[in-house]
Amino acid sequence: MKPKPNRTAWLKGGNACCDTHPKAQARPHRLVLLGAPGVGKGTQAELLAERLGVCHLSTGDIFRAAKRTSGAETTEAMKCALDCMRRGDLVTDEMVLSLVAERVGCLRCGGGFLLDGFPRTVAQADALAKVLTAQQSGLEAVLSYDLPLESIIARLSGRRTCLKCQAVFHVETRPSKTPGICDQCGSVLAQREDDRPESVHVRMQVYERSTAPLADFYREQGLLVSIAAQGTPEEIFGRTLEALFNCSAELLVPF
Ligand code: AMP
């Protein structure tokens, strides 16, 4: 089995380096996943990252990694960001863009990337476009996952995450073998603070206001690929591969 890229440079930023790099590609995949919270982007990102051999770069994971570091090492700006996250609000563009700027090497990685949860505002999308233009690259596609609101709420309320390795389960649709225990590392599963009903409400409002306009932004650039997010993770993954194949067949050979 191929070793999984460990994303240290993305999660820690600064001078941190990855122990395991994705294999450099002649034409690396550079993808963005778009969709409301709970639509299943994280699961699809994991499946896609494994299939395509690219790194799954989630800005939410940067904040969750920072939350696990000791209080003394956490800056004031990061404490504010973690408060926003707890409430279900967006972290400021300024903070997010400075974190991404610190990790710009990941956007230059010869193995490509799969961005999940970034960009989330038009200002962030503009900033990303500038970075990519400066490095003479661009996005291959923006995969946009669509799901009705009631299904999203059901997914978020049943989602459980491993406190140690961050693997994601769902009490009904993707249960762990032993309830409450992670299949991958045996640690305890818990509900994310921002998956609680009061935070979910805020996150959905924020999504409609700030992130939904990105679909038009990328549609106008001919990059948007819409994917129905109903069904099992495997069914959605099948649709994702098909959609990707249709939009850039020559780039995706071989899978
Ligand atoms: P996620 O795991 O992508 O759902 O992100 C969890 C939380 O992290 C979000 O609800 C926001 O509080 C924060 N966050 C992650 N990415 C961004 C971003 N690109 N812009 C603003 N806030 C973000």
Side-chain angles (χ1 to χ4, degrees):
M1 210 169 108
K2 285 182 274 177
K4 201 172 157 187
N6 68 358
R7 305 183 302 154
T8 308
W10 180 256
L11 295 177
K12 294 197 173 158
N15 296 325
C17 293
C18 296
D19 302 329
T20 317
H21 295 273
K23 192 168 166 253
Q25 309 285 340
R27 299 182 73 178
H29 297 289
R30 297 193 181 97
L31 299 164
V32 167
L33 302 194
L34 207 62
V39 85
K41 290 188 306 297
T43 306
Q44 293 306 309
E46 276 175 33
L47 295 169
L48 259 180
E50 197 177 338
R51 177 65 70 96
L52 303 178
V54 298
C55 276
H56 170 196
L57 305 181
S58 150
T59 34
D61 282 350
I62 299 176
F63 295 122
R64 284 182 284 278
K67 202 166 134 190
R68 292 192 294 275
T69 62
S70 83
E73 289 170 44
T74 313
T75 62
E76 279 309 308
M78 185 53 90
K79 281 183 193 148
C80 284
L82 295 179
D83 274 344
C84 288
M85 184 170 151
R86 238 168 257 125
R87 288 195 305 272
D89 242 326
L90 286 191
V91 174
T92 61
D93 285 340
E94 192 190 0
M95 173 80 184
V96 172
L97 292 175
S98 86
L99 290 172
V100 173
E102 235 189 275
R103 291 157 172 81
V104 84
C106 295
L107 302 179
R108 278 198 292 266
C109 178
F113 59 76
L114 193 55
L115 283 168
D116 163 20
F118 176 84
R120 248 179 165 101
T121 63
V122 172
Q124 293 179 15
D126 278 331
L128 173 64
K130 284 202 184 94
V131 170
L132 296 180
T133 305
Q135 67 187 43
Q136 294 174 332
S137 70
L139 294 174
E140 177 184 348
V142 174
L143 307 178
S144 174
Y145 291 91
D146 303 326
L147 193 68
L149 185 61
E150 59 274 22
S151 310
I152 290 179
I153 307 272
R155 279 200 191 166
L156 286 176
S157 58
R159 182 157 74 176
R160 297 292 179 269
T161 306
C162 175
L163 294 176
K164 192 167 172 208
C165 76
Q166 309 302 307
V168 179
F169 298 85
H170 190 281
V171 287
E172 281 163 18
T173 56
R174 205 185 186 193
S176 54
K177 287 184 193 117
T178 309
I181 301 295
C182 177
D183 287 352
Q184 290 181 26
C185 74
S187 298
V188 174
L189 300 179
Q191 186 170 43
R192 268 168 52 170
E193 275 178 324
D194 58 349
D195 280 348
R196 296 190 185 136
E198 57 282 12
S199 304
V200 166
H201 185 68
V202 176
R203 285 165 76 198
M204 294 311 298
Q205 282 180 333
V206 166
Y207 176 77
E208 282 304 322
R209 190 173 61 236
S210 306
T211 310
L214 282 183
D216 285 337
F217 178 93
Y218 284 122
R219 191 178 291 111
E220 279 161 21
Q221 295 175 31
L223 287 170
L224 196 80
V225 178
S226 296
I227 298 164
Q230 278 102 342
T232 63
E234 291 71 27
E235 285 164 351
I236 305 166
F237 187 51
R239 266 177 239 137
T240 301
L241 292 181
E242 195 182 347
L244 262 178
F245 188 78
N246 289 339
C247 83
S248 50
E250 79 282 12
L251 297 180
L252 291 168
V253 177
F255 264 143

